[in-house]
Amino acid sequence: MRIDDLLVAHPEWAPPQPAVGIEPTLSDAELITLAVRSALLGFDSEARFIRYAEAHLRPWFPRLLKRSGYNKRLRRSSELMRHVIAALARECPSFGDDVWLVDSTPVECGRSRATQQRSDLAGWAAYGYCASHSRWFWGLRLHLITTPSGLPVAYALAGAKEDERGTCLEMIARAQTARPGQTLIADKGYRSAEFEAELNDAGITLIRPATKTEPDRPGQKFLRPLRQIIESVNQTLKAQLSLERHRGRTRPGVAARVLQRLLALTAAIWHNQTTQQPGPARSLIAYDH
């Protein structure tokens, strides 16, 4: 079943829209379906995707928009994409998993000094350090909490200098999906007695690597394989879903492009799990061609 068919079958998945008396040329359900297809196929240019859609998708989407119209509609669809991501996630069998993985990954937004000074993102984007690439970058960080299947259950786009632990606590509070007995697996960057105490108060157990000055912590044997999963999810977003080439220049533009890729990942995991596809649920091999 296509995503637009799902949205027609489940209108409650979309946020309420004011009645304006004008039917859009392209429905919201069709817009979301096109956005997911664009991300899964690795398009980082909306102009290139619209040319592809004109050539290959006309039989299914006879009322395609021009590039500028598609761009404007997509920028205004962030709230819709958030609702659909949450609805699809709740339909996944792995949504109720009692183990969560947390990490953040850079979302670079510019390199030249002139770009940083003129950018609409100034004041939100900032300089940060990417340890995995041993380099500084100017932009944001995508903070992500997933299940071991790779399913996003909470996410946030914050400045590169924002504290990871504070952002994680805020994501958990906003998502309202934590349950007593939950386990959160993190890396050394989440080390903090105050952070761990707040998690414990919420009934969440933190598992992270022990530092050189600490005794062995419980759950260490589970860290390496589960940490590889969240790193694999970030790599999928950056490489296969072209997050590193998002090309966003404004705040609504960056937010919409990041949500578009999170929606594509969630939709693929939902389909893989509900149709019992072989292999990892987060695999996009069946959708990238």
Side-chain angles (χ1 to χ4, degrees):
M1 181 179 286
R2 296 188 338 184
I3 292 181
D4 50 351
D5 294 330
L6 280 171
L7 289 176
V8 171
H10 299 276
E12 70 278 5
W13 286 12
Q17 300 285 349
V20 295
I22 301 174
E23 183 180 355
T25 301
L26 190 75
S27 71
D28 286 342
E30 291 173 321
L31 176 73
I32 290 297
T33 304
L34 288 170
V36 167
R37 187 167 184 83
S38 172
L40 289 174
L41 292 176
F43 283 97
D44 57 4
S45 165
E46 289 170 358
R48 286 181 56 235
F49 174 68
I50 291 299
R51 290 198 297 271
Y52 168 86
E54 289 278 2
H56 301 284
L57 303 181
R58 271 290 182 185
W60 297 277
F61 300 94
R63 301 180 298 175
L64 280 171
L65 300 173
K66 299 297 183 182
R67 186 201 63 81
S68 60
Y70 175 78
N71 183 290
K72 291 176 183 178
R73 285 284 303 279
L74 194 63
R75 296 298 172 268
R76 294 197 296 264
S77 66
S78 290
E79 187 67 19
L80 172 62
M81 285 191 280
R82 283 196 291 266
H83 275 74
V84 177
I85 290 170
L88 284 174
R90 287 193 295 268
E91 295 294 315
C92 291
S94 61
F95 181 73
D97 203 302
D98 59 2
V99 175
W100 282 349
L101 317 174
V102 63
D103 201 5
S104 68
T105 192
V107 179
E108 189 175 13
C109 298
R111 294 192 176 182
S112 71
R113 181 68 175 170
T115 297
Q116 297 155 18
Q117 290 174 337
R118 297 194 305 264
S119 176
D120 178 63
L121 301 171
W124 185 23
Y127 280 103
Y129 186 72
C130 176
S132 60
H133 291 87
S134 302
R135 65 176 175 84
W136 291 88
F137 69 97
W138 186 81
L140 308 166
R141 277 189 175 275
L142 174 61
H143 300 258
L144 196 60
I145 297 176
T146 76
T147 66
S149 68
L151 179 69
V153 293
Y155 50 86
L157 198 57
K161 292 183 179 179
E162 291 292 326
D163 181 64
E164 290 180 313
R165 295 157 296 193
T167 304
C168 177
L169 290 172
E170 187 171 349
M171 285 194 295
I172 292 172
R174 286 178 176 270
Q176 297 181 344
T177 54
R179 298 171 296 277
Q182 201 86 40
T183 298
L184 181 69
I185 295 179
D187 61 19
K188 290 181 181 179
Y190 290 83
R191 178 191 179 194
S192 166
E194 182 180 353
F195 173 67
E196 193 163 353
E198 290 201 41
L199 288 177
N200 289 336
D201 290 342
I204 302 173
T205 300
L206 176 67
I207 296 180
R208 62 166 177 80
T211 62
K212 293 181 180 179
T213 59
E214 290 180 309
D216 287 342
R217 293 172 56 89
Q220 297 294 297
K221 64 180 180 180
F222 303 112
L223 277 173
R224 184 178 295 274
L226 290 174
R227 286 297 306 162
Q228 287 176 342
I229 291 174
I230 187 70
E231 290 168 6
S232 173
V233 170
N234 285 333
Q235 183 60 25
T236 296
L237 287 167
K238 291 190 289 186
Q240 286 181 273
L241 296 176
S242 66
L243 181 61
E244 288 190 323
R245 306 184 304 278
H246 62 83
R247 296 192 180 188
R249 297 293 180 266
T250 64
R251 297 185 182 211
V254 173
R257 288 174 183 264
V258 172
L259 286 167
Q260 177 184 5
R261 286 150 176 83
L262 288 173
L263 174 57
L265 176 64
T266 305
I269 292 174
W270 167 81
H271 184 266
N272 287 340
Q273 290 192 335
T274 54
T275 59
Q276 299 180 344
Q277 297 296 311
R282 65 183 183 280
S283 174
L284 303 183
I285 293 175
Y287 312 102
D288 63 359
H289 56 279

